[in-house]
Amino acid sequence: MRVDFLTAFAFSCLVGTPAVANDVVTYHNSQTRAGAYKVPDLTTKAAATMAPDTGFNATVSGSVYAQPLYWHPQGQPGELIVATENNVVYALNAQTGAAIWHTALPAAVPLSDLACGDINPEGITGTPAIDPGTGTLYFDALTYTNNTVAQKIYAMSLADGSVLSGWPLDVTSLLTGRNISFSSRNQGERSAVLLLHGKLYVVYGGRYGDCQPYNGTVAEFDPASKTLAGVWQTRAGGGGIWAQGGIASDGGSLFVTTGNTFTSGTYGDGESVERLKPGLARLSADKDFYAPANWLTLDNEDADLGGTEALPVDVATSGGATTPSVIAFGKDGNAYLLNRAKLGGIGGKATIVQVSNTRIVTAPAVYATAKGDMVAFTNASPVGCSGAGIMMIKLAPHASSPISVAWCAAYSGDGSPIITTTDGTANPIVWVVGAEGDGELHGFDAKTGKVLFDGTGTTMTGTRHFSTILATEKHLYVPADNKIYAFAFKHG
């Protein structure tokens, strides 16, 4: 059973289709960061029965920005794996919320000991990843020992929460040992880590307030040898990689988006979509990166193209085929759709559509259909439809543009949506939490935007901006300050 599931999961990660809700081992349930889940009994009718699970009670120590993961050890109850800003990692019984084990790591860093930021304290922010073959959890933690601030990479056994021998790895030491500039005090890590083909990828940006120096950085680690296997870094200062999904993959290439750089006019890898390969050697051809022609204006206005991760998507053509593409959204309110085989370089060919009058900074989710993908994202001021809060766009053939608005719906918050279906296509539902807004859980028909669940009775406290939802076969889970909320629906 475990081998069959791993095979199915690996395939789903490559093509971006959701695996049946079982183990959830990475951010948004896929290396593509699609945010798609199969929940066989969660129909559009069942959505209306969603309610807090009164039999679940889970308390944790610290704010939770990372998405919880779901781990189902053979012969054991399902477990939620939760990492907090207090640098505590938990395995919780997924049915009751009771702690199975918890591990406290070295202390998180108080905000007063950082030059800037908006998380206090700062510990584990980016979503970890599970290697299901070995039952190992990998993540980055910002630690504070003897007044020393350090980004460290941990490997932890999911059997008992113990840190594995030879870990953690000190990121600053490994990078500076290669004469690569890296300051843990300035380099923030709030993006999900990624496991791909046996390598671990961790990305870094700055912190809220842009205290310098820092660079957009991608680090590749080899868990087998516990070594740094490759590094890519923006040539100019800044250019942070800070979207929640961080780094995405179509199974072969890796994609990241970068933010504003600090430059007088010489391009240095900011405001870009970058395609990388394992090993992270710098690729200089135009086909391997894209930056809009007005990249310097975006720099000067702090209007990062890198508001969201670059998601691999497929755009259907009029002939019935699909074009492998990648989409990203910026703080300038634009959607950027690119051919992922030919990104185009500076000012290269791209479909750029203004879809918002304000910034877009929360992770999208993808609903794959035979007629092209649909992408849902939080949008406080949509262009092209009414109903501020959340928007769904279609990626399909059109006389003027492959991007068109499907619907908008009213909602208050800064959560990152997910999409559930019963079989990969049927009963598609967009779920989103009103993080730092109304604090409620919301459900919308992914095809029409019709409200399926209006949040009644689900008000939560302490949900943090960019918060996303974990879906399993029986529950939806929402992380918050010192607590995990669970919601159940009527089956059958």
Side-chain angles (χ1 to χ4, degrees), residues 196-257:
L196 181 71
H197 305 320
K199 298 297 191 292
L200 177 69
Y201 297 90
V202 187
V203 300
Y204 298 90
R207 292 193 170 83
Y208 178 80
D210 268 344
C211 44
Q212 301 175 52
Y214 73 89
N215 294 74
T217 303
V218 184
E220 177 186 309
F221 299 94
D222 181 355
S225 60
K226 305 178 186 65
T227 58
L228 179 68
V231 182
W232 181 92
Q233 194 171 68
T234 57
R235 288 168 293 179
I241 303 168
W242 53 271
Q244 298 101 76
I247 186 166
S249 176
D250 60 3
S253 298
L254 301 152
F255 297 91
V256 295
T257 59

Side-chain angles (χ1 to χ4, degrees), residues 262-303:
F262 309 111
T263 172
S264 59
T266 300
Y267 182 72
D269 307 315
E271 312 294 359
S272 68
V273 175
E274 300 281 344
R275 181 174 61 199
L276 306 172
K277 295 290 186 181
L280 303 182
R282 180 171 292 279
L283 304 174
S284 57
D286 284 356
K287 67 179 181 179
D288 296 315
F289 81 102
Y290 166 81
N294 68 334
W295 67 266
L296 183 57
T297 298
L298 298 180
D299 266 2
N300 293 336
E301 295 179 354
D302 189 23

Side-chain angles (χ1 to χ4, degrees), residues 110-414:
L111 183 57
S112 59
D113 282 274
L114 295 171
C116 62
D118 58 356
I119 299 174
N120 187 27
E122 186 174 335
I124 305 169
T125 306
T127 300
I130 294 172
D131 180 347
T134 63
T136 303
L137 182 74
Y138 294 98
F139 57 92
D140 178 280
L142 189 69
T143 63
Y144 194 58
T145 305
N146 296 325
N147 295 321
T148 299
V149 176
Q151 296 282 10
K152 292 191 176 182
I153 307 299
Y154 280 84
M156 179 178 287
S157 169
L158 288 177
D160 57 9
S162 58
V163 177
L164 299 184
S165 177
W167 300 83
L169 308 181
D170 188 292
V171 180
T172 300
S173 295
L174 288 171
L175 269 66
T176 55
R178 290 196 182 187
N179 295 318
I180 297 169
S181 175
F182 189 90
S183 165
S184 288
R185 200 174 283 275
N186 290 342
Q187 297 271 181
E189 196 282 322
R190 65 180 182 183
S191 303
V193 305
L194 175 72
L195 276 169
L196 181 71
H197 305 320
K199 298 297 191 292
L200 177 69
Y201 297 90
V202 187
V203 300
Y204 298 90
R207 292 193 170 83
Y208 178 80
D210 268 344
C211 44
Q212 301 175 52
Y214 73 89
N215 294 74
T217 303
V218 184
E220 177 186 309
F221 299 94
D222 181 355
S225 60
K226 305 178 186 65
T227 58
L228 179 68
V231 182
W232 181 92
Q233 194 171 68
T234 57
R235 288 168 293 179
I241 303 168
W242 53 271
Q244 298 101 76
I247 186 166
S249 176
D250 60 3
S253 298
L254 301 152
F255 297 91
V256 295
T257 59
T258 64
N260 60 292
T261 49
F262 309 111
T263 172
S264 59
T266 300
Y267 182 72
D269 307 315
E271 312 294 359
S272 68
V273 175
E274 300 281 344
R275 181 174 61 199
L276 306 172
K277 295 290 186 181
L280 303 182
R282 180 171 292 279
L283 304 174
S284 57
D286 284 356
K287 67 179 181 179
D288 296 315
F289 81 102
Y290 166 81
N294 68 334
W295 67 266
L296 183 57
T297 298
L298 298 180
D299 266 2
N300 293 336
E301 295 179 354
D302 189 23
D304 300 11
L305 180 150
T308 71
E309 56 270 24
L311 277 73
V313 292
D314 290 320
V315 180
T317 66
S318 56
T322 58
T323 300
S325 305
V326 65
I327 192 168
F329 298 87
K331 287 164 69 175
D332 58 359
N334 287 335
Y336 294 84
L337 183 65
L338 307 162
N339 183 321
R340 68 175 183 259
K342 301 176 182 178
L343 293 178
I346 298 175
K349 184 178 180 181
T351 298
I352 306 173
V353 176
Q354 185 181 0
V355 292
S356 179
N357 290 307
T358 188
R359 65 180 191 166
I360 303 170
V361 292
T362 53
V366 180
Y367 171 44
T369 78
K371 296 183 179 180
D373 288 347
M374 301 175 69
V375 183
F377 55 98
T378 302
N379 189 344
S381 182
V383 173
C385 64
S386 59
I390 192 163
M391 173 183 266
M392 177 74 85
I393 59 173
K394 294 180 180 179
L395 306 179
H398 192 275
S400 59
S401 172
I403 297 177
S404 61
V405 176
W407 52 263
C408 294
Y411 144 83
S412 173
D414 284 325

Side-chain angles (χ1 to χ4, degrees), residues 397-481:
H398 192 275
S400 59
S401 172
I403 297 177
S404 61
V405 176
W407 52 263
C408 294
Y411 144 83
S412 173
D414 284 325
S416 297
I418 65 166
I419 296 172
T420 61
T421 62
T422 51
D423 62 2
T425 303
N427 294 284
I429 305 169
V430 176
W431 296 98
V432 65
V433 61
E436 300 188 3
D438 61 25
E440 297 177 345
L441 177 68
H442 298 266
F444 305 91
D445 187 307
K447 294 180 179 178
T448 66
K450 176 184 176 182
V451 175
L452 298 177
F453 182 72
D454 65 3
T456 299
T458 64
T459 302
M460 295 165 273
T461 59
T463 52
R464 293 292 179 167
H465 57 284
F466 312 146
S467 178
T468 195
I469 299 163
L470 167 67
T472 69
E473 63 269 24
K474 295 182 179 180
H475 290 88
L476 300 181
Y477 297 96
V478 178
D481 289 355

Side-chain angles (χ1 to χ4, degrees), residues 30-78:
S30 172
Q31 292 168 343
T32 67
R33 310 311 199 192
Y37 297 79
K38 283 184 185 177
V39 185
D41 293 329
L42 186 47
T43 63
T44 53
K45 182 178 180 180
T49 70
M50 194 68 69
D53 184 345
T54 57
F56 181 91
N57 182 26
T59 58
V60 297
S61 173
S63 299
V64 185
Y65 284 74
Q67 175 199 293
L69 302 175
Y70 185 60
W71 178 237
H72 201 252
Q74 193 166 10
Q76 301 295 321

